[in-house]
Amino acid sequence: LTVLMAREDNVLACLPMDHTPLDFSRKDTELAAGLGVAIGLMAVEMVGFLSGLSMFSPVQSLLSIALHASATVSMAYLILDVWDCDLFWWIFGLCSCFPAVVELTIM
């Protein structure tokens, strides 16, 4: 949720110096949509965990914990060091999509 509030600097980091307001709006919408989908995928994982389907799967639990921990550290650096927002998609794919897909296969 913090990224949603502090995304302006990250959006500016991915744009060239001579960007237009339309470019800013597109990148801002892209980043906000990606963050919204990431929150939705976390909800899918939470439903699978709380329903007990994947709670006792040690491989899924370890995978989810490891990838979400690395995503937390990576997103903290993304926000604090104002990384290029295109790196968000790498973090999103590896640390949100992959555990959610594994969770859905267990369900």
Side-chain angles (χ1 to χ4, degrees), residues 3-104:
V3 179
L4 285 172
M5 295 184 301
R7 69 181 186 266
E8 182 178 348
D9 292 334
N10 291 95
V11 171
L12 289 173
C14 2
L15 294 171
M17 294 300 259
D18 58 344
H19 67 277
T20 64
L22 181 63
D23 293 334
F24 180 85
S25 176
R26 284 183 183 160
K27 276 292 188 186
D28 187 46
T29 303
E30 177 184 324
L31 187 59
L35 292 169
V37 172
I39 290 170
L41 290 175
M42 262 196 319
V44 167
E45 287 187 76
M46 186 63 80
V47 166
F49 180 76
L50 293 177
S51 67
L53 295 172
S54 66
M55 184 181 297
F56 301 108
S57 173
V59 173
Q60 167 59 20
S61 297
L62 181 63
L63 178 75
S64 186
I65 290 169
L67 289 177
H68 285 298
S70 64
T72 301
V73 172
S74 299
M75 290 301 290
Y77 277 113
L78 182 86
I79 295 169
L80 296 175
D81 287 345
V82 191
W83 285 355
D84 186 2
C85 66
D86 291 332
L87 291 174
F88 166 76
W89 294 108
W90 286 96
I91 298 168
F92 172 76
L94 181 65
C95 300
S96 285
C97 288
F98 185 62
V101 168
V102 172
E103 182 76 36
L104 288 173

